[in-house]
Short mmCIF file of all heavy atoms in Angstrom, two decimals:
data_model
loop_
_atom_site.label_atom_id
_atom_site.label_comp_id
_atom_site.label_asym_id
_atom_site.label_seq_id
_atom_site.Cartn_x
_atom_site.Cartn_y
_atom_site.Cartn_z
N HIS A 29 65.69 -26.63 75.17
CA HIS A 29 64.70 -26.71 74.22
C HIS A 29 65.10 -26.20 72.80
O HIS A 29 65.67 -25.27 72.63
CB HIS A 29 63.54 -25.87 74.66
CG HIS A 29 62.80 -26.30 75.94
ND1 HIS A 29 61.99 -27.37 75.98
CD2 HIS A 29 62.96 -25.80 77.17
CE1 HIS A 29 61.71 -27.51 77.22
NE2 HIS A 29 62.22 -26.59 78.01
N LYS A 30 64.82 -27.20 71.91
CA LYS A 30 65.14 -26.90 70.50
C LYS A 30 64.17 -25.81 70.06
O LYS A 30 62.97 -25.87 70.06
CB LYS A 30 65.13 -28.22 69.66
CG LYS A 30 66.29 -29.06 70.00
CD LYS A 30 66.20 -30.23 69.08
CE LYS A 30 67.41 -31.18 69.39
NZ LYS A 30 67.30 -32.29 68.51
N LYS A 31 64.76 -24.93 69.39
CA LYS A 31 63.89 -24.01 68.56
C LYS A 31 63.09 -24.57 67.42
O LYS A 31 63.68 -25.29 66.61
CB LYS A 31 64.68 -22.84 67.99
CG LYS A 31 65.03 -21.71 69.09
CD LYS A 31 65.72 -20.58 68.37
CE LYS A 31 66.07 -19.51 69.36
NZ LYS A 31 66.67 -18.47 68.69
N GLU A 32 61.81 -24.52 67.48
CA GLU A 32 61.02 -25.02 66.33
C GLU A 32 61.20 -24.10 65.18
O GLU A 32 61.21 -22.93 65.25
CB GLU A 32 59.60 -24.97 66.73
CG GLU A 32 59.23 -25.95 67.95
CD GLU A 32 57.73 -25.95 68.11
OE1 GLU A 32 57.02 -25.24 67.45
OE2 GLU A 32 57.38 -26.76 69.02
N HIS A 33 61.45 -24.81 64.09
CA HIS A 33 61.73 -24.12 62.82
C HIS A 33 60.51 -24.11 61.88
O HIS A 33 60.00 -25.34 61.67
CB HIS A 33 62.90 -24.90 62.08
CG HIS A 33 63.26 -24.33 60.83
ND1 HIS A 33 63.81 -23.09 60.58
CD2 HIS A 33 63.10 -24.72 59.47
CE1 HIS A 33 63.97 -22.73 59.38
NE2 HIS A 33 63.56 -23.78 58.61
N HIS A 34 60.02 -22.92 61.65
CA HIS A 34 58.93 -22.82 60.83
C HIS A 34 59.25 -22.41 59.39
O HIS A 34 59.98 -21.37 59.29
CB HIS A 34 57.87 -21.72 61.34
CG HIS A 34 57.39 -22.05 62.75
ND1 HIS A 34 56.39 -22.99 62.86
CD2 HIS A 34 57.70 -21.59 63.93
CE1 HIS A 34 56.06 -23.10 64.16
NE2 HIS A 34 56.91 -22.35 64.84
N GLU A 35 58.81 -23.22 58.42
CA GLU A 35 59.18 -22.81 57.04
C GLU A 35 58.26 -21.68 56.45
O GLU A 35 57.08 -21.71 56.85
CB GLU A 35 58.87 -24.16 56.17
CG GLU A 35 59.91 -25.28 56.39
CD GLU A 35 59.63 -26.45 55.45
OE1 GLU A 35 58.82 -26.28 54.52
OE2 GLU A 35 60.39 -27.40 55.65
N GLU A 36 58.92 -20.86 55.71
CA GLU A 36 58.19 -19.83 55.07
C GLU A 36 57.43 -20.20 53.91
O GLU A 36 57.98 -20.88 52.98
CB GLU A 36 59.03 -18.51 54.91
CG GLU A 36 59.73 -17.98 56.06
CD GLU A 36 60.58 -16.79 55.58
OE1 GLU A 36 60.51 -16.57 54.42
OE2 GLU A 36 61.19 -16.18 56.50
N HIS A 37 55.93 -19.89 53.77
CA HIS A 37 55.20 -20.27 52.62
C HIS A 37 55.13 -19.09 51.58
O HIS A 37 54.83 -18.03 52.13
CB HIS A 37 53.80 -20.75 53.01
CG HIS A 37 53.83 -21.98 53.92
ND1 HIS A 37 53.95 -23.19 53.42
CD2 HIS A 37 53.73 -22.16 55.25
CE1 HIS A 37 53.85 -24.12 54.30
NE2 HIS A 37 53.81 -23.58 55.34
N ILE A 38 55.29 -19.36 50.36
CA ILE A 38 55.15 -18.34 49.28
C ILE A 38 53.74 -17.93 49.15
O ILE A 38 52.73 -18.77 49.11
CB ILE A 38 55.75 -18.88 48.00
CG1 ILE A 38 57.24 -19.22 48.14
CG2 ILE A 38 55.60 -17.83 46.86
CD1 ILE A 38 57.75 -19.94 47.01
N ASP A 39 53.37 -16.71 49.01
CA ASP A 39 52.06 -16.20 48.87
C ASP A 39 51.59 -16.56 47.36
O ASP A 39 52.14 -16.17 46.38
CB ASP A 39 52.10 -14.63 48.94
CG ASP A 39 50.67 -14.05 48.97
OD1 ASP A 39 49.63 -14.88 48.77
OD2 ASP A 39 50.54 -12.81 48.97
N GLU A 40 50.54 -17.35 47.31
CA GLU A 40 50.02 -17.90 46.04
C GLU A 40 48.68 -17.30 45.63
O GLU A 40 47.99 -17.77 44.80
CB GLU A 40 49.90 -19.37 46.11
CG GLU A 40 51.29 -20.10 46.34
CD GLU A 40 51.06 -21.73 46.43
OE1 GLU A 40 49.87 -22.10 46.59
OE2 GLU A 40 52.05 -22.32 46.47
N THR A 41 48.21 -16.24 46.26
CA THR A 41 46.95 -15.63 45.93
C THR A 41 46.92 -15.01 44.56
O THR A 41 45.84 -14.90 44.07
CB THR A 41 46.62 -14.49 47.00
OG1 THR A 41 47.77 -13.57 46.91
CG2 THR A 41 46.41 -15.01 48.36
N TRP A 42 48.05 -14.79 43.92
CA TRP A 42 48.00 -14.19 42.54
C TRP A 42 47.64 -15.25 41.53
O TRP A 42 47.25 -14.88 40.42
CB TRP A 42 49.55 -13.70 42.25
CG TRP A 42 50.53 -14.88 42.23
CD1 TRP A 42 51.12 -15.33 43.38
CD2 TRP A 42 50.92 -15.76 41.22
NE1 TRP A 42 51.96 -16.39 43.05
CE2 TRP A 42 51.83 -16.63 41.75
CE3 TRP A 42 50.58 -15.79 39.92
CZ2 TRP A 42 52.41 -17.69 40.98
CZ3 TRP A 42 51.12 -16.78 39.16
CH2 TRP A 42 52.08 -17.83 39.67
N LEU A 43 47.63 -16.58 41.93
CA LEU A 43 47.25 -17.62 40.97
C LEU A 43 45.73 -17.47 40.55
O LEU A 43 45.43 -17.78 39.40
CB LEU A 43 47.46 -18.94 41.61
CG LEU A 43 49.06 -19.35 41.65
CD1 LEU A 43 49.03 -20.75 42.46
CD2 LEU A 43 49.51 -19.57 40.22
N ILE A 44 44.85 -16.92 41.49
CA ILE A 44 43.47 -16.90 41.16
C ILE A 44 43.16 -15.98 39.85
O ILE A 44 42.49 -16.35 39.11
CB ILE A 44 42.63 -16.60 42.44
CG1 ILE A 44 42.84 -17.73 43.44
CG2 ILE A 44 41.21 -16.36 42.03
CD1 ILE A 44 42.18 -17.41 44.71
N PRO A 45 43.52 -14.63 40.07
CA PRO A 45 43.32 -13.82 38.88
C PRO A 45 43.98 -14.24 37.64
O PRO A 45 43.57 -13.94 36.64
CB PRO A 45 43.87 -12.44 39.43
CG PRO A 45 44.72 -12.74 40.55
CD PRO A 45 44.20 -13.97 41.21
N TYR A 46 45.18 -14.97 37.87
CA TYR A 46 45.93 -15.32 36.69
C TYR A 46 45.16 -16.44 35.99
O TYR A 46 45.03 -16.43 34.83
CB TYR A 46 47.25 -15.86 37.17
CG TYR A 46 48.18 -16.42 35.97
CD1 TYR A 46 48.71 -15.50 35.15
CD2 TYR A 46 48.36 -17.76 35.87
CE1 TYR A 46 49.50 -15.97 33.98
CE2 TYR A 46 49.21 -18.22 34.82
CZ TYR A 46 49.78 -17.34 33.95
OH TYR A 46 50.47 -17.85 32.80
N ALA A 47 44.59 -17.37 36.66
CA ALA A 47 43.75 -18.40 36.17
C ALA A 47 42.52 -17.80 35.40
O ALA A 47 42.15 -18.36 34.40
CB ALA A 47 43.37 -19.49 37.22
N ASP A 48 41.98 -16.90 36.13
CA ASP A 48 40.82 -16.27 35.50
C ASP A 48 41.08 -15.66 34.17
O ASP A 48 40.40 -15.62 33.10
CB ASP A 48 40.08 -15.19 36.33
CG ASP A 48 39.46 -15.79 37.59
OD1 ASP A 48 39.19 -17.06 37.54
OD2 ASP A 48 39.25 -15.09 38.70
N LEU A 49 42.27 -14.88 34.13
CA LEU A 49 42.78 -14.32 32.87
C LEU A 49 42.98 -15.23 31.90
O LEU A 49 42.56 -15.04 30.59
CB LEU A 49 44.09 -13.52 33.20
CG LEU A 49 44.62 -12.76 31.93
CD1 LEU A 49 43.64 -11.75 31.47
CD2 LEU A 49 45.94 -12.12 32.38
N LEU A 50 43.58 -16.30 32.17
CA LEU A 50 43.75 -17.38 31.16
C LEU A 50 42.47 -17.95 30.56
O LEU A 50 42.34 -18.22 29.43
CB LEU A 50 44.56 -18.51 31.73
CG LEU A 50 46.09 -18.26 32.07
CD1 LEU A 50 46.78 -19.47 32.56
CD2 LEU A 50 46.77 -17.94 30.68
N THR A 51 41.50 -18.13 31.49
CA THR A 51 40.23 -18.65 31.13
C THR A 51 39.56 -17.63 30.10
O THR A 51 38.86 -18.03 29.07
CB THR A 51 39.25 -18.81 32.34
OG1 THR A 51 39.88 -19.78 33.23
CG2 THR A 51 37.88 -19.41 31.88
N LEU A 52 39.53 -16.37 30.48
CA LEU A 52 38.97 -15.43 29.54
C LEU A 52 39.69 -15.40 28.12
O LEU A 52 39.04 -15.26 27.15
CB LEU A 52 39.02 -14.03 30.14
CG LEU A 52 38.23 -13.75 31.43
CD1 LEU A 52 38.49 -12.40 32.02
CD2 LEU A 52 36.69 -13.79 30.98
#
Side-chain angles (χ1 to χ4, degrees):
H29 295 284
K30 292 183 179 179
K31 274 187 182 179
E32 293 183 0
H33 179 67
H34 297 283
E35 295 183 3
E36 294 183 4
H37 294 281
I38 300 174
D39 186 2
E40 298 177 349
T41 55
W42 59 274
L43 286 173
I44 296 176
Y46 180 71
D48 290 341
L49 179 61
L50 289 179
T51 302
L52 291 173

